[in-house]
Amino acid sequence: DEGRFGADRLDLATGESTVLNIARNPGRSGLVSPDGREVYTISQTEAGGTGIFALDLNDGSERLIATIESPGSLSLSPDGQTFGVLDSSTGRIYTLPVVGGDPNVIFEIERDITESDLSAGAMAGRPEWTPDGKHILFIQDGSIMRIPVDGGSAEKVVDIPEGRRIHFRLHPDGSRFLINAGLDKGEIWMVKGLPGMPRAAGVTDR
C-alpha cells in the first residue's frame, strides 16, 4: 500500500482484499489465535523498542501484549494460551502468557553469544511446541533440542545435516520433522562473444 507495511484479509473465494491496518514495519511470525479473532506479531513499538502485538481481525485495532528484549521468533502453544519465544541474540527461550505478564526463561545457552554464533545459527528458526504442549523444540548448534516447558534440562532429539540449517517444522501428530537444510552452492561462468564487446584478435568462440 504505497510502500507501507500492514495486514490484509484476503477472501479466498472472491479474491477481494480488505486492509486491516497499516503497520510501522512488516513484523514477524503472524500467528493466528485459535478462535481466529487475532493475529500475533513481533513488531517495533512507538518508543523504538520491540514488542509482541495482537491485531484484532474484526476492527483492525492493535494492542501491545508485552515488550521484549530483541526481535526473535514466536510460536503459540496448542491451547493458544502461551507464547514460546526464541531470542537468538541472548540464547534464551522463554514462555509468556498471551494476555501479557512476566516471561519465564526455560533455556539459556551457557556462554556469551558472539557474532559468529549468530551467523552460524547457534539458535535459529522458530520454537515448536509438541502436540501435548509439554515441550518446546528448537535448534541449537546444529541439533534439534527438546526442553520441558515446566522446567528441566534440554535433550538432543536429532542432529541436522551439515550445511544450512535454519528452519524445521514438526508434523501435527508430533512424529516427524520437515527440515530445511543442505549446502548452498554457486557457480561462476565465463561468457564469450557478447554483442558489443571487443573481440581479441583471432578469437572466434561464441
Side-chain angles (χ1 to χ4, degrees):
D1 183 10
E2 297 179 355
R4 296 176 293 181
F5 298 112
D8 290 7
R9 177 165 50 204
L10 179 66
D11 189 314
L12 297 182
T14 65
E16 294 183 1
S17 178
T18 303
V19 176
L20 298 175
N21 81 330
I22 300 297
R24 289 173 296 280
N25 63 34
R28 297 188 180 193
S29 295
L31 303 174
V32 181
S33 63
D35 60 12
R37 295 180 179 178
E38 292 184 315
V39 170
Y40 305 118
T41 63
I42 294 178
S43 187
Q44 185 179 4
T45 66
E46 292 182 354
T50 304
I52 299 174
F53 291 84
L55 171 66
D56 190 302
L57 293 180
N58 291 321
D59 60 19
S61 62
E62 188 180 61
R63 63 183 174 88
L64 176 64
I65 297 174
T67 56
I68 56 179
E69 289 188 45
S70 64
S73 52
L74 194 66
S75 62
L76 192 61
S77 62
D79 63 6
Q81 300 301 306
T82 310
F83 294 120
V85 184
L86 185 151
D87 185 347
S88 58
S89 65
T90 62
R92 293 178 180 173
I93 295 176
Y94 55 89
T95 58
L96 183 74
V98 296
V99 295
D102 296 325
N104 176 38
V105 178
I106 61 174
F107 177 82
E108 186 170 5
I109 288 184
E110 297 179 351
R111 67 174 188 268
D112 292 334
I113 299 296
T114 65
E115 289 296 327
S116 60
D117 284 328
L118 294 176
S119 62
M123 290 186 70
R126 188 180 74 181
E128 291 273 347
W129 292 76
T130 54
D132 59 11
K134 294 182 178 180
H135 294 80
I136 286 180
L137 298 110
F138 60 98
I139 294 176
Q140 182 197 355
D141 296 327
S143 299
I144 295 178
M145 309 289 290
R146 174 174 56 205
I147 189 165
V149 174
D150 294 333
S153 301
E155 60 178 348
K156 182 188 296 187
V157 177
V158 64
D159 288 324
I160 299 177
E162 286 296 323
R164 188 170 180 266
R165 43 187 181 232
I166 298 178
H167 302 291
F168 76 97
R169 290 291 180 267
L170 181 64
H171 191 276
D173 66 10
S175 66
R176 55 194 184 274
F177 298 102
L178 178 68
I179 300 173
N180 176 2
L183 298 174
D184 291 327
K185 297 180 180 179
E187 295 180 340
I188 297 176
W189 285 48
M190 181 177 69
V191 182
K192 300 179 180 180
L194 291 175
M197 291 185 64
R199 183 179 301 279
V203 176
T204 56
D205 291 343
R206 290 187 175 274

